[in-house]
Amino acid sequence: MDLGKETNIQNIFNNRYKNITANNKFSNEIYNQLEDIFNDCENKLNDYRDLRHLKTYTIDSEDTLEIDDAISLEIKCNSKIIWIHISSPANYINYNSFIDLEARKRSTTIYLTNKIITMLPDKLISSLISI
C-alpha cells in the first residue's frame, strides 16, 4: 500500500477511508434497511431484560456518540450483583446485509478533530443500539 512520501496518520486515514464520503453518508440501500429494522424492533426488544431501574454508568467517554458499554451494581439482601451492559447490534443487523457489509468496511467509529466517521448510521447508534 503506497502511503505517499510522508507516512503519517493523515495519509493512512485517507487511503483506508477514501471511499467513504467526507459527510459520512450511507447508501440508499442502507437507509431502506433501517426502515425494516425499526419496523421489526418491537419483536427484538422482547429478547431483553428491562434493567432501567438500575443506576447505570457508561464506560464510554463523555463525548462519544455510541453509548454501547455500561455497568451497574445491584444490591439484594446481602449479595451484590454487577451487571455488565454491552450493546448488541447483531440482534438487529442481519449478516451480509448492506448495513453489515458497510460496518465491516468501516471497522469502527473514528473520532477526528474535525469530523466523526461512524461505523453505523446515526439513527441506529442514537437509539436501538444505544444503552
Side-chain angles (χ1 to χ4, degrees):
M1 170 186 319
D2 182 13
L3 298 177
K5 276 190 167 185
E6 296 178 14
T7 303
N8 63 39
I9 196 71
Q10 187 65 44
N11 288 345
I12 294 169
F13 174 82
N14 287 341
N15 193 42
R16 173 69 174 91
Y17 295 98
K18 64 185 170 193
N19 294 326
I20 299 173
T21 60
N23 57 10
N24 197 33
K25 293 280 184 184
F26 290 86
S27 70
N28 289 335
E29 292 88 0
I30 288 174
Y31 289 115
N32 291 338
Q33 283 185 343
L34 281 176
E35 295 304 317
D36 295 338
I37 289 171
F38 278 88
N39 289 337
D40 191 40
C41 74
E42 285 300 316
N43 297 331
K44 306 272 183 168
L45 289 174
N46 293 329
D47 295 340
Y48 291 95
R49 186 182 305 180
D50 187 353
L51 299 172
R52 288 179 286 184
H53 65 282
L54 298 174
K55 186 164 181 117
T56 302
Y57 300 89
T58 181
I59 58 175
D60 294 302
S61 67
E62 192 173 289
D63 59 346
T64 189
L65 294 177
E66 300 162 331
I67 310 292
D68 55 5
D69 307 292
I71 58 172
S72 301
L73 176 65
E74 182 177 25
I75 300 173
K76 284 187 170 182
C77 300
N78 291 327
S79 64
K80 295 176 183 168
I81 302 169
I82 294 178
W83 291 91
I84 299 171
H85 314 279
I86 300 172
S87 177
S88 56
N91 195 36
Y92 299 99
I93 299 170
N94 292 325
Y95 181 71
N96 275 341
S97 66
F98 290 113
I99 296 172
D100 175 48
L101 295 173
E102 183 68 18
R104 284 193 264 159
K105 184 169 71 174
R106 292 177 181 225
S107 307
T108 188
T109 293
I110 300 171
Y111 293 85
L112 301 170
T113 55
N114 61 342
K115 64 181 161 185
I116 298 170
I117 298 176
T118 58
M119 184 173 85
L120 296 167
D122 290 342
K123 188 172 180 179
L124 270 180
I125 62 175
S126 64
S127 59
L128 283 181
I129 61 172
S130 183
I131 291 180

